[in-house]
Amino acid sequence: MTGRSRRGVKFPHKHTSGPATGGDGRRSSFSDVSEEGSPVKPKSPTTLDGIQEKPPTAEEQRAAEYEKKKANFIQRTFWTFVMIGGFFAALFMGHIYILLIITTIQVVSFKEVIAIASVPSRARDLQSSKSLNWYWLATTMYFLYGESVVYYFKHIVLVNKVLLPLATHHRFISFILYVFGFVFFVSSLKAGHLKFQFSQFGWTHMALFLIVVQAHFIMNNVLEGMIWFFLPAALVITNDIFAYICGITFGRTQLIKLSPKKTVEGFVGAWIMTVLFGVVLTNLLLRSKYFICPATDLGANIFTGLDCVPNPVFIPRTYTTPQLFPGRAFSITMAPMQIHTLCLATFASLIAPFGGFFASGLKRTFKIKDFGDSIPGHGGMTDRMDCQFTMGLFSFIYYHTFIATYTASLGGVMETAITGLTVDDQIELIRGMARYLSNQGVVGTDFISCLDHLPSRR
């Protein structure tokens, strides 16, 4: 009887999985069975071999999630105020500082977009690909910056002995630089890496067009007048803020699958609020010539200001409604710029956000949350500028189509005289201008006498 175990009696160390295994399928430790083989007092489920931590409760999970969101909100808010403060400081210090900020945004955004399509293992084997990307960027910026300098500062560039050849042959020099890069790219092609290299070639050129070229037009907007840079940028930021506010307040209908959080109600509500904000902001900017005058002096700031003859679009006019019914017709006095602001605000609300949707689709393609971490709490620079690039290009085209006045400028006249006249014709032009100025009492006869002694090459 003693050799048998009684039926119905179960020992703690015996399980169906085997005499030497625990109930959870793992091998029992020596502490589960005594050296004599007698049963020991069963231990609690939490053993040293399989320490089971107590899962966090729902309340603890909510608390941890709240702390995480709180820290992210504080970081995001802090860097938001840093960016706002830096932006307005540069805005008031002068055009040159805004141009430096735009240049920095160009370079950082280009770096972020190029990085998401790069394969590290391939990039290590093909060091030339990374160098070539930066060469394309430098060549493109040289071409675009040179175009702006030649266009807006002809009166300075064309009278400089060193800069004159660079200005007159700028496009040819830029093309030669591009050809050098193209030849280097073709000569660096390697078997086994062709698909990667050609994808990088196409990806780089797409980034140059979508980022660098569009940012170049934003620079031109700055030089045409600070209002053409600040107003469109402010409209996009305002639309983004009110789209979020209206969306979380009464948003119900999803707008687009690429951005599940975007709603139709937030989209429309942001449009209305952006239009109202644009009217108010335009009314304030029209009071300062620093914002409405072209950048004829890059050393000017908000305190020194600028002086110019305002574009007619900034001068108030009285609009009268047709008298269709008996009675008095209605009239309103406002600057035509207010009407143009409605168009800019509408584009910033209805079209520019699709630049953000495009960026969202791009990030989904590569399964990334942000383009980078250039701005703590906000992600990459491209995440904040995706809509601004599209808005800047539209503002440039809109300005030159409906607003710009094309009159003879000093730079344009000098360019015509230098590139279109012979040396003798240029001398005659100078003498003719001197006689005119003498008749107006601006210069004396001694000045004309000096010009008369200029030798003729005929």
Side-chain angles (χ1 to χ4, degrees), residues 391-403:
M391 188 66 195
L393 176 58
F394 172 77
S395 302
F396 175 83
I397 295 175
Y398 187 90
Y399 170 80
H400 283 278
T401 303
F402 300 106
I403 297 172

Side-chain angles (χ1 to χ4, degrees), residues 234-427:
L235 292 175
V236 170
I237 296 173
T238 302
N239 180 261
D240 190 39
I241 294 173
F242 280 103
Y244 175 76
I245 294 175
C246 295
I248 64 174
T249 303
F250 48 82
R252 296 294 182 272
T253 310
Q254 186 180 17
L255 177 65
I256 189 171
K257 292 183 178 180
L258 285 174
S259 297
K261 296 182 180 180
K262 303 292 183 181
T263 62
V264 175
E265 293 82 2
F267 196 67
V268 176
W271 177 23
I272 297 173
M273 298 304 299
T274 303
V275 169
L276 297 177
F277 174 81
V279 172
V280 175
L281 179 61
T282 300
N283 187 47
L284 295 175
L285 297 179
L286 293 181
R287 302 178 183 181
S288 173
K289 285 192 173 182
Y290 174 73
F291 284 96
I292 66 176
C293 288
T296 54
D297 180 12
L298 292 179
N301 54 53
I302 190 66
F303 302 105
T304 60
L306 290 169
D307 190 23
C308 66
V309 177
N311 189 302
V313 77
F314 301 127
I315 301 175
R317 293 174 54 187
T318 300
Y319 297 89
T320 304
T321 59
Q323 191 171 355
L324 302 177
F325 303 98
R328 184 178 178 182
F330 294 98
S331 62
I332 183 173
T333 301
M334 66 177 183
M337 182 60 195
Q338 293 286 13
I339 301 176
H340 295 295
T341 298
L342 300 180
C343 298
L344 294 173
T346 299
F347 186 90
S349 303
L350 303 183
I351 307 299
F354 281 85
F357 300 153
F358 176 85
S360 298
L362 200 62
K363 289 186 287 187
R364 284 177 176 269
T365 301
F366 290 94
K367 297 179 176 59
I368 57 175
K369 181 181 179 182
D370 298 311
F371 281 98
D373 54 359
S374 304
I375 309 174
H378 290 264
M381 185 69 70
T382 312
D383 295 289
R384 301 277 70 84
M385 296 298 298
D386 45 14
C387 300
Q388 295 287 0
F389 293 134
T390 305
M391 188 66 195
L393 176 58
F394 172 77
S395 302
F396 175 83
I397 295 175
Y398 187 90
Y399 170 80
H400 283 278
T401 303
F402 300 106
I403 297 172
T405 55
Y406 297 99
T407 57
S409 62
L410 175 61
V413 172
M414 291 185 64
E415 181 184 24
T416 302
I418 293 174
T419 61
L421 299 178
T422 63
V423 175
D424 291 330
D425 290 337
Q426 292 170 1
I427 294 175

Side-chain angles (χ1 to χ4, degrees), residues 34-49:
S34 65
E35 293 181 355
E36 293 81 2
S38 60
V40 295
K41 185 178 180 180
K43 295 184 178 181
S44 61
T46 304
T47 62
L48 293 176
D49 293 319

